Amino acid sequence: EVQLVESGGGSVQPGGSLNLSCAASGFNFGLHTMMWVRQAPGKGFEWVSRIDGPGDRTYYADSVKGRFTISRDNIKNNMYLQLNSLKPEDTAMYYCTRPDASDIARMTRGQGTQVTVSS
């Protein structure tokens, strides 16, 4: 059974930092591109970042480029997202996601970890 478990969210002030983690199990993690997506209250899913299987190639949404850093450890079957210079508009539930469907809403994802940025 595929399982994705996120952790590391929290409440921070603008300009603060958080480090999100995703623990993956039930599939050959290192063979899969993985993504972080987020969903703000009342809004749809937004793609945030993507990393290929070996971890060589990373991609970011324009809204987070230069502030967030995605990485992975294929020995530990973990993926990470370092969030720096956080803004109130980054407030959302963040999901570790395996892109196994054409629609983000239908992709395999974890239960999410909440990030709240406010003063």
Side-chain angles (χ1 to χ4, degrees):
E1 178 188 5
V2 174
Q3 283 197 322
L4 301 170
V5 180
E6 303 92 337
S7 61
S11 295
V12 297
Q13 293 186 339
S17 297
L18 287 170
N19 190 22
L20 308 185
S21 297
C22 169
S25 62
F27 65 105
N28 199 329
F29 179 72
L31 295 182
H32 288 263
T33 291
M34 295 294 294
M35 305 193 318
W36 287 97
V37 303
R38 66 187 181 186
Q39 186 174 33
K43 296 188 176 181
F45 288 102
E46 177 190 12
W47 169 73
V48 174
S49 184
R50 185 172 84 248
I51 186 167
D52 70 350
D56 296 335
R57 298 183 180 182
T58 58
Y59 306 87
Y60 300 92
D62 288 344
S63 58
V64 307
K65 197 173 296 182
R67 300 188 298 120
F68 292 7
T69 303
I70 192 171
S71 61
R72 66 191 297 163
D73 183 334
N74 287 344
I75 301 298
K76 295 182 178 180
N77 285 355
N78 285 351
M79 180 175 67
Y80 309 97
L81 187 68
Q82 177 67 39
L83 288 66
N84 295 329
S85 302
L86 281 161
K87 304 175 181 180
E89 51 264 42
D90 295 319
T91 295
M93 187 73 80
Y94 284 70
Y95 296 93
C96 171
T97 304
R98 190 177 77 169
D100 49 11
S102 58
D103 182 350
I104 286 180
R106 301 180 66 179
M107 293 176 182
T108 300
R109 61 181 181 270
Q111 84 289 347
T113 187
Q114 178 68 39
V115 171
T116 302
V117 185
S118 68
S119 54

